[in-house]
Amino acid sequence: MAKYNIKEKKEKEAAYRALVSPKVMDELKEKILNIILIQKKYKDKNYSAAKLAEDLGTNTRYISAVVNVRFHMNYTSLVNKYRIEEAMALLVDRRYKDLNMEDISDMVGFSNRQSFYASFYKINGCTPRAYKISHMVGAKTKKR
């Protein structure tokens, strides 16, 4: 794990999380999913928690509280989760087999290859290249 400089985060309870009512949290969760996932804002390299808060007419503390409590991660991890899920689909899709890792990284919204590799490794325990190779071999084996 030291290869990609990934550190385990310490759990700490933020006081402001308790100030957001469960009803408001549920409403914001749905709105966040709509914007990040349905509207595919996770692909936008410049779409920040501050921009999301502005679009939802709230503040970043509320966004942070909802993402922490309802998704059990921080904003960046949430966005990267959806980016990696899409990257995984692209890596095994034959239509994109000629693209390099930088192209895939760019398509799903990462600013650079290093952050793509670090996030991919953190979620999957392997590099994007290793993932692609293992799944391409699996696809060839299934055909026989």
Side-chain angles (χ1 to χ4, degrees):
M1 292 242 312
K3 184 176 181 179
Y4 291 104
N5 198 23
I6 298 170
K7 297 176 187 161
E8 288 296 318
K9 292 215 172 186
K10 293 180 185 134
E11 276 296 315
K12 59 184 179 210
E13 191 59 41
Y16 64 87
R17 290 182 195 160
L19 300 175
V20 185
S21 76
K23 183 176 185 260
V24 170
M25 277 211 184
D26 289 341
E27 290 170 5
L28 280 174
K29 177 185 175 184
E30 291 306 313
K31 290 176 181 177
I32 290 168
L33 280 173
N34 179 45
I35 290 174
I36 299 296
L37 187 58
I38 308 300
Q39 295 178 28
K40 296 188 184 277
K41 289 291 189 179
Y42 64 87
K43 289 183 172 187
D44 183 347
K45 294 172 178 61
N46 302 312
Y47 198 76
S48 63
K51 181 70 176 127
L52 176 62
E54 184 183 314
D55 289 349
L56 293 176
T58 187
N59 62 54
T60 54
R61 288 231 177 214
Y62 271 49
I63 297 297
S64 178
V66 172
V67 171
N68 276 272
V69 173
R70 293 295 190 246
F71 297 101
H72 308 289
M73 58 183 78
N74 63 31
Y75 175 80
T76 303
S77 295
L78 178 69
V79 169
N80 286 347
K81 174 181 175 270
Y82 294 119
R83 289 174 175 169
I84 296 302
E85 286 175 4
E86 180 156 348
M88 289 165 58
L90 295 175
L91 287 167
V92 299
D93 190 324
R94 294 200 181 288
R95 294 174 293 180
Y96 303 104
K97 70 179 176 9
D98 295 329
L99 293 181
N100 63 34
M101 292 305 153
E102 286 79 11
D103 294 335
I104 299 283
S105 169
D106 192 55
M107 284 174 71
V108 299
F110 282 97
S111 299
N112 60 62
R113 193 175 69 95
Q114 289 77 19
S115 58
F116 172 56
Y117 267 71
S119 294
F120 197 97
Y121 192 86
K122 183 178 180 181
I123 290 171
N124 293 305
C126 66
T127 64
R129 186 175 187 279
Y131 180 86
K132 181 177 184 172
I133 290 168
S134 70
H135 284 75
M136 289 300 190
V137 169
K140 288 176 185 172
T141 309
K142 288 177 188 171
K143 278 187 165 181
R144 292 180 187 165

